[in-house]
Amino acid sequence: MGAGGHHEAPRGAPCPSRQRCVPPPQGASTAPGSPPSWRQHEGPRRVKRAWVIPPISVSENHKRIPHLLVQIKSDKQQPGGVIYSIKGPGVDKEPLGIFSIDKFSGKVFLNAMLDREENDRFRLKAFALDLGGVTLEDPTDLEIIVVDQNDNRPLFRQDVFTGRVVEGAEPGTCVMTVEATDADDPETDNAALRFSILEQGAGGMFSINATTGEICTARPGLDREVSVGVYNLTLQAADMSGDGLTTTATAVIYLEDINDNAPEFTKEEFSMEVEEQAAGVDVGRVLVHDKDLAGSPNWLAKFTILEGDPEGAFAIHTDPHTNDGVLSVAKPLDHEVRDRFQLTVSVQNQQPLEPAAPGSPRALATVQVRVRDVNEAPVFRENPRRVSVPEGAPPGTPVTTYTASDPDTRQLQTLSYALLYDPAGWLQLDPHSGTIRTKRELRHPSAFLQGGWYIALVLARDDGEHYPPPPEPPLSATGTLSIEILEVNDHAPLLQPGPSDIEDFINEGLEAADSDPSVPPYDTALIYDYEGSGSVASPLSSIVSSLTDEDQDYDYLSEWGPRFRRLADLYGQ
């Protein structure tokens, strides 16, 4: 059985595939209706001919249906004819109803449009039966190949491709590779893709490999600070080797920053002001500009004080958000010592510049800092002040002059004083001079004494309201005055009734002295025994007065003061 219709091989044409053909000998007769003479002479080489159907090609999307694909015929002709049938996918298996056959003529028809991207071929079985349903010969293969048409556009694998390349990259530096697919037959031009860049802005800085989709830098001059930091490329993919269906996508290329720009001060000189005695406070800011990517290490500045601050009174650090240099006070400043500073400040990046960056000297700026005078509190240089006063000192006795000094030496201010704490009300204070005197007597023991000391507090206050405008509130200081109360021996000892042997001894001595006619009466020197040979009072003692007959000379007593003049008058020469 063979294929009929336009698929039958004409006489003299090549035999259908898988048929074994033997050409007739020259001069052989081929009368109509009789078998060819060459068949009668095949001899032992004759092979029974099978019914073979070559593959049948049909284009996808064929719209004229039903469409005759092929007509098959069996070699086994029977009285009454042959019944033909086909089976397989597209007939009695999914997808159903695509193919059909005229069972009497053997004509095979296409009944629906085909899609190669769903099924690129169908393999069917063809059967030849007699009228009783008996198979006349073995079934044969019927293969239907779906021929591709360019009915699918290319598709990029993503709508937006993202890539990065450092600024200043050399031409030919690969940035990224874009990819696209085509559902058509990859063995045909229908899926042969070519890539191109439709739009990339001025400069033409990038190129694309038409076959591989690789995007590379095309020329030098990629400068993020001069041109742009982001490039947007419109890409196209076209099948039919660039002449067929097309599609587009976007490529976004970011220029990665390098440190090719040094920071610069926005001006050459900055002026600031700070109050004296303020420590750890910010004085002001120096501003810089850097063209590199804000927030990156290539942009972040580092400041240094080069001159004008030998004692390290200032410090400078970087504000990471604004890149400003923030000047602060590291040590308290004294307006009276130095009222202004002129600093030289430099700036550079925290990251080193790229070797290819334009060379330039380090940026410098002058910072003028004025130290503003403020009202400072008085200071007691000696605190506490320690003095001594004897107990029982009469009112008006000078104690001390306790004063403070004013650090504001460039301002004419007057200090005044007051007693802040005087628990016994014992003192009086001159508010102008700071001189302190006693107001009344104070003796031991006293509840106001702590271990023999009297504690008072003195307040010194300036007249800050007279400070040059704007006026400032008065300030004060407190000084501690510690007064030692010295004890005076103003109480005679008293004998208590009972230390008895001594009392008898004294009484006997008094009686002996009173009965001795050679000495003045009531010679109490006897009580204290002999004062010693070195004592000027030794001749007065009754102990030695009876040892000599010589007259005693008491005139010298008149030199001892008023209390002894009476004795001199009584016993003198």
Side-chain angles (χ1 to χ4, degrees):
M1 182 170 72
H6 60 281
H7 286 281
E8 291 182 346
R11 187 180 301 275
C15 297
S17 63
R18 294 190 290 180
Q19 281 190 324
R20 187 176 183 82
C21 299
V22 180
Q26 292 184 357
S29 165
T30 57
S34 63
S37 59
W38 56 269
R39 284 186 179 274
Q40 300 172 1
H41 296 86
E42 284 183 353
R45 292 175 52 192
R46 182 177 183 275
V47 177
K48 180 180 178 182
R49 186 177 125 188
W51 60 319
V52 177
I53 305 172
I56 302 168
S57 297
V58 60
S59 176
E60 65 174 332
N61 304 316
H62 190 85
K63 297 180 180 179
R64 293 177 297 181
I65 51 177
H67 172 63
L68 177 61
L69 295 177
V70 68
Q71 184 178 9
I72 60 177
K73 289 184 179 181
S74 173
D75 293 336
K76 304 289 187 180
Q77 297 295 332
Q78 297 291 317
V82 178
I83 303 298
Y84 298 99
S85 66
I86 54 176
K87 293 183 178 181
V91 181
D92 59 346
K93 294 182 179 179
E94 292 291 344
L96 301 175
I98 294 180
F99 305 103
S100 64
I101 189 171
D102 187 319
K103 64 180 179 178
F104 298 112
S105 66
K107 291 181 179 180
V108 180
F109 294 93
L110 172 66
N111 299 319
M113 285 195 302
L114 300 176
D115 187 348
R116 191 205 68 84
E117 286 70 49
E118 292 184 4
N119 297 282
D120 62 352
R121 66 187 62 231
F122 294 86
R123 291 184 173 90
L124 307 178
K125 291 287 186 181
F127 299 87
L129 308 172
D130 63 13
L131 296 178
V134 178
T135 302
L136 297 177
E137 51 185 316
D138 293 337
T140 187
D141 292 331
L142 177 58
E143 184 174 20
I144 301 173
I145 298 175
V146 183
V147 178
D148 185 48
Q149 285 190 331
N150 190 19
D151 60 346
N152 289 279
R153 291 181 178 275
L155 293 177
F156 280 102
R157 292 195 180 275
Q158 55 198 73
D159 294 331
V160 179
F161 296 87
T162 302
R164 297 181 179 274
V165 63
V166 296
E167 58 176 336
E170 294 293 329
T173 302
C174 180
V175 180
M176 70 176 85
T177 299
V178 298
E179 295 181 340
T181 60
D182 195 309
D184 291 321
D185 190 350
E187 301 299 325
T188 67
D189 264 1
N190 296 337
L193 304 183
R194 296 294 182 267
F195 299 95
S196 61
I197 299 176
L198 297 181
E199 178 63 38
Q200 62 171 312
M205 304 303 294
F206 300 93
S207 64
I208 190 170
N209 186 302
T211 304
T212 64
E214 185 179 43
I215 299 177
C216 301
T217 57
R219 60 183 62 189
L222 286 173
D223 192 331
R224 193 195 66 84
E225 292 77 39
V226 174
S227 54
V228 294
V230 181
Y231 286 85
N232 292 282
L233 282 60
T234 301
L235 309 178
Q236 175 180 281
D239 59 17
M240 298 297 291
S241 298
D243 296 326
L245 302 176
T246 63
T247 188
T248 60
T250 301
V252 181
I253 301 177
Y254 294 93
L255 290 190
E256 292 187 337
D257 185 54
I258 62 173
N259 192 11
D260 56 349
N261 293 277
E264 298 178 352
F265 287 102
T266 58
K267 56 184 180 180
E268 295 182 352
E269 184 171 311
F270 298 86
S271 296
M272 305 176 187
E273 185 177 276
V274 64
E275 292 183 351
E276 65 174 332
Q277 303 303 329
V281 299
D282 293 342
V283 182
R285 293 174 174 248
V286 292
L287 310 183
V288 296
H289 174 68
D290 194 312
K291 297 178 182 178
D292 290 315
L293 182 62
S296 71
N298 300 328
W299 170 83
L300 203 59
K302 179 174 65 175
F303 299 88
T304 306
I305 300 176
L306 297 180
E307 298 176 356
D309 185 26
E311 297 180 356
F314 296 93
I316 188 167
H317 67 276
T318 304
D319 184 332
H321 302 290
T322 63
N323 218 25
D324 299 338
V326 182
L327 186 70
S328 59
V329 179
K331 299 178 180 179
L333 304 175
D334 192 337
H335 169 83
E336 285 71 33
V337 175
R338 187 173 179 180
D339 61 357
R340 66 182 59 249
F341 292 81
Q342 178 173 301
L343 310 178
T344 300
V345 179
S346 71
V347 64
Q348 63 188 99
N349 286 128
Q350 294 193 5
Q351 292 290 338
L353 284 174
E354 291 290 327
S360 60
R362 184 188 299 184
L364 301 176
T366 299
V367 181
Q368 302 285 354
V369 181
R370 176 178 173 267
V371 182
R372 184 164 62 88
D373 189 21
V374 297
N375 187 23
E376 299 174 77
V379 177
F380 283 97
R381 301 299 178 187
E382 183 184 352
N383 198 359
R385 166 73 65 84
R386 292 182 173 87
V387 297
S388 299
V389 174
E391 67 172 331
T397 301
V399 177
T400 188
T401 299
Y402 195 20
T403 59
S405 61
D406 191 346
D408 298 308
T409 57
R410 298 189 181 184
Q411 302 296 334
L412 298 177
Q413 294 198 93
T414 302
L415 300 183
S416 59
Y417 302 92
L419 283 171
L420 187 63
Y421 180 70
D422 180 18
W426 177 48
L427 305 173
Q428 57 184 355
L429 172 64
D430 187 312
H432 304 293
S433 65
T435 299
I436 300 173
R437 300 175 181 273
T438 60
K439 188 163 46 175
R440 59 185 184 83
E441 289 187 1
L442 184 66
R443 292 181 175 273
H444 282 288
S446 172
F448 301 104
L449 299 181
Q450 303 176 14
W453 292 83
Y454 184 83
I455 306 300
L457 299 180
V458 177
L459 180 71
R461 186 172 182 270
D462 65 16
D463 52 352
E465 63 268 17
H466 301 299
Y467 212 77
E472 298 188 12
L475 297 178
S476 61
T478 302
T480 300
L481 180 62
S482 298
I483 305 174
E484 183 183 18
I485 307 301
L486 299 178
E487 186 176 2
V488 176
N489 187 12
D490 55 353
H491 293 84
L494 297 176
L495 293 177
Q496 299 296 328
S500 58
D501 294 340
I502 297 177
E503 185 178 1
D504 293 341
F505 173 77
I506 292 175
N507 290 332
E508 291 177 358
L510 288 175
E511 184 179 355
D514 289 341
S515 61
D516 187 352
S518 62
V519 297
Y522 198 71
D523 187 358
T524 57
L526 182 62
I527 300 174
Y528 303 103
D529 202 352
Y530 177 56
E531 289 85 352
S533 59
S535 173
V536 295
S538 58
L540 292 178
S541 175
S542 61
I543 295 178
V544 296
S545 60
S546 61
L547 298 179
T548 177
D549 294 336
E550 296 180 0
D551 295 333
Q552 299 292 324
D553 184 5
Y554 299 103
D555 291 338
Y556 65 90
L557 293 178
S558 61
E559 299 176 1
W560 286 17
R563 297 183 179 181
F564 294 92
R565 287 177 184 166
R566 180 60 177 167
L567 292 176
D569 292 342
L570 292 173
Y571 299 100
Q573 295 295 328

